[in-house]
Amino acid sequence: MAAEERVSSPTECAGTLVDELYNFRDHFVERFGLEKAGDKEVEVEKKMKECLQKLEFYQGDIKNKSMIQLLRGRILNVLYKYSPEAEEALSRAVKLDPKLVEAWNHLGECYWKKDDVSAAKNCFTGALNHSKNKVSLRNLSMVLRQLSGPPVEKVKLIEESVQRAKEAVQLDVKDGTSWSILGNAYLCQFFGTGQNPMILKQCMQAYGQAEKDPVAQGNPDLYFNRAVAYKYQEEYLLALEGFDTAAQLDPSWVEARTKETELLSYLKDVQEMVETKGKAKTKKIESLIKSLGERDLGTYSTGQYTNKAGKSVNIARCRLNDLQVKVNEGKVVMGAVVCNVHSNELVPFTFCMMDEDQTCVAVTVYNLAQGAGMKIGDRMAIPEPCVKKVKLSHKGTEISFGSIIVDSPRFLIVNGRALGANKEALAVLSVSTVSE
């Protein structure tokens, strides 16, 4: 005689119903394609309302009142916008059963959507007191980065944020959401603790792992935040594509499309300024060239240079045309500033520099203190210049220009004098937390 099939309880049936709702949301783009991404919120809301109606069918048979409130709260919390009804149901659930970890996690997400960061932190911390789980850990990682405090305290919070995200990944190495939040934590650590290239590498590796998961693939935050990192690395095409993908995944997210538009406009402006030598007139160009002299090399005129590692190396002056697309070790270039390039963001500070041969290049300076930018006519010397060739095509726009990247202004010579450490400031970071 065959064994009888096990009949699911009303609680299990209702739980499966809610799980299917979240599966519909998390796999929406995978199921319906990127072209339907703009319909996601509306379609999920429809499913949410259907799910609430179906829950009524089961709740009369569910004896556990805390479970009824949890199920209702989960359904109402499925949208990315704050729901006071969800908060009310989940608050009841944790009052009825303080050990209900899933209720604490969803309540914390409710508070997060409400911008009540402190309350969200208490929920995730409380959940972890009952059970170590990936959702609480990664959400706590996210919250820690948003807490305010003095610089030293902020560094500690970011370091703890990285640690919590690592723990979440260790609990489930295939969960792309945890990987994405770890990438964001690394990105904040990179900008907030001295910009160690190894940390940025770890950040990009985490984003790469996240993208393997279909759930994370449907999250616009992943592409937006990775685009921020690509932009900093001057991988402009990848940055543009990232902002574009984020905007397609969430057409209502104005910032993603704005960032793409602003970056493309900035690149077009840089290209135009390089090609036209800052639109300077012939007399102005001649005057700038005549102003250049050996004194503008400052201390580098001795042929000696102390690099980032504190090591003294020999350097020799060369022309801009002689530079190669790489870090030009043992070289120093000199030129005059012909224009500044406007950008809606403070980082990087961008200007165009021209030498005696009238060769013009863009120069992007990172970590420059506000108000310390170069002016037209300033004479510059740049040791061991890192040269990059920017060449891309995006949505019918072709961009091509040469660029020198300066990651620290303290080694620049301006009008014969070193800028020094007091002109350096850490870059300002914009990481999205729309739907982490």
Side-chain angles (χ1 to χ4, degrees), residues 37-54:
D39 302 329
K40 178 178 177 179
E41 194 75 354
V42 172
E43 294 301 321
V44 171
E45 189 165 6
K46 285 181 185 176
K47 288 283 186 183
M48 179 193 78
K49 291 175 180 177
E50 292 173 9
C51 200
L52 282 172
Q53 291 177 344
K54 291 177 181 177

Side-chain angles (χ1 to χ4, degrees), residues 80 112 142 145 177 180-181 184 187 207 216-228 242-243 245-247 249-250 253 255-256 430-436:
Y80 291 122
W112 175 256
M142 184 176 67
R145 299 196 305 274
T177 302
S180 181
I181 290 176
N184 294 346
L187 191 58
Y207 286 146
Q217 287 174 15
N219 187 347
D221 282 346
L222 168 62
Y223 299 95
F224 183 95
N225 292 328
R226 187 166 61 177
V228 170
F243 289 134
T245 300
L249 286 168
D250 184 359
W253 192 6
E255 186 182 8
S430 174
V431 170
S432 158
T433 54
V434 170
S435 56
E436 277 190 298

Side-chain angles (χ1 to χ4, degrees), residues 195-234:
Q195 298 176 22
N196 182 336
M198 183 56 67
I199 294 175
L200 189 59
K201 183 179 179 181
Q202 291 173 312
C203 163
M204 301 308 280
Q205 288 173 340
Y207 286 146
Q209 289 294 329
E211 199 174 20
K212 296 177 182 179
D213 183 354
V215 174
Q217 287 174 15
N219 187 347
D221 282 346
L222 168 62
Y223 299 95
F224 183 95
N225 292 328
R226 187 166 61 177
V228 170
Y230 279 138
K231 180 178 177 292
Y232 182 86
Q233 293 173 299
E234 300 200 5

Side-chain angles (χ1 to χ4, degrees), residues 332-406:
V332 58
V333 291
M334 184 176 72
V337 177
V338 293
C339 71
N340 291 329
V341 181
H342 172 73
S343 173
N344 290 322
E345 297 185 3
L346 296 175
V347 180
F349 182 84
T350 308
F351 63 90
C352 293
M353 184 176 83
M354 181 180 63
D355 67 5
E356 296 98 321
D357 297 331
Q358 294 193 28
T359 300
C360 190
V361 298
V363 180
T364 51
V365 184
Y366 292 84
N367 305 311
L368 186 65
Q370 195 169 351
M374 294 75 206
K375 304 183 296 294
I376 294 174
D378 281 348
R379 302 174 304 280
M380 305 289 306
I382 304 174
E384 300 196 315
C386 176
V387 177
K388 184 166 186 175
K389 178 66 177 178
V390 176
K391 189 175 180 64
L392 62 91
S393 176
H394 184 71
K395 295 186 176 179
T397 300
E398 305 287 333
I399 301 291
S400 180
F401 60 84
S403 173
I404 294 177
I405 304 170
V406 179

Side-chain angles (χ1 to χ4, degrees), residues 229-290:
Y230 279 138
K231 180 178 177 292
Y232 182 86
Q233 293 173 299
E234 300 200 5
E235 295 287 350
Y236 292 123
L237 180 58
L238 293 172
L240 289 165
E241 291 173 346
F243 289 134
D244 181 44
T245 300
Q248 289 183 67
L249 286 168
D250 184 359
S252 66
W253 192 6
V254 177
E255 186 182 8
R257 188 63 71 196
T258 299
K259 289 289 185 185
E260 178 196 9
T261 302
E262 288 178 350
L263 178 54
L264 193 58
S265 177
Y266 162 79
L267 294 172
K268 287 163 68 176
D269 288 346
V270 174
Q271 177 177 255
E272 182 182 13
M273 291 298 102
V274 171
E275 290 176 347
T276 63
K277 299 179 176 63
K279 297 184 177 179
K281 295 181 179 179
T282 304
K283 285 188 177 180
K284 180 65 174 177
I285 290 173
E286 291 174 351
S287 173
L288 289 172
I289 289 173
K290 287 181 181 177

Side-chain angles (χ1 to χ4, degrees), residues 90-235:
L90 293 164
S91 295
R92 286 176 180 169
V94 297
K95 285 177 183 176
L96 290 165
D97 185 355
K99 295 182 180 180
L100 207 52
V101 170
E102 192 173 14
W104 280 115
N105 282 335
H106 277 279
L107 182 58
E109 289 174 12
C110 260
Y111 284 130
W112 175 256
K113 295 172 187 177
K114 192 181 179 182
D115 292 328
D116 191 341
V117 178
S118 179
K121 179 178 181 289
N122 290 338
C123 287
F124 300 134
T125 302
L128 287 168
N129 288 335
H130 295 295
S131 172
K132 186 174 182 180
N133 66 94
K134 66 180 181 181
V135 176
S136 299
L137 286 166
R138 70 193 185 202
N139 284 346
L140 183 57
S141 168
M142 184 176 67
V143 166
L144 287 168
R145 299 196 305 274
Q146 299 302 312
L147 295 175
S148 58
V152 174
E153 184 62 28
K154 281 292 288 183
V155 169
K156 290 180 180 178
L157 288 169
I158 291 172
E159 289 174 348
E160 186 182 350
S161 169
V162 171
Q163 183 56 39
R164 294 291 174 263
K166 281 182 179 179
E167 291 173 16
V169 166
Q170 288 165 1
L171 289 176
D172 184 355
V173 295
K174 293 184 178 180
D175 190 310
T177 302
S178 297
W179 278 111
S180 181
I181 290 176
L182 176 59
N184 294 346
Y186 276 134
L187 191 58
C188 285
Q189 186 179 35
F190 172 75
F191 281 101
T193 58
Q195 298 176 22
N196 182 336
M198 183 56 67
I199 294 175
L200 189 59
K201 183 179 179 181
Q202 291 173 312
C203 163
M204 301 308 280
Q205 288 173 340
Y207 286 146
Q209 289 294 329
E211 199 174 20
K212 296 177 182 179
D213 183 354
V215 174
Q217 287 174 15
N219 187 347
D221 282 346
L222 168 62
Y223 299 95
F224 183 95
N225 292 328
R226 187 166 61 177
V228 170
Y230 279 138
K231 180 178 177 292
Y232 182 86
Q233 293 173 299
E234 300 200 5
E235 295 287 350

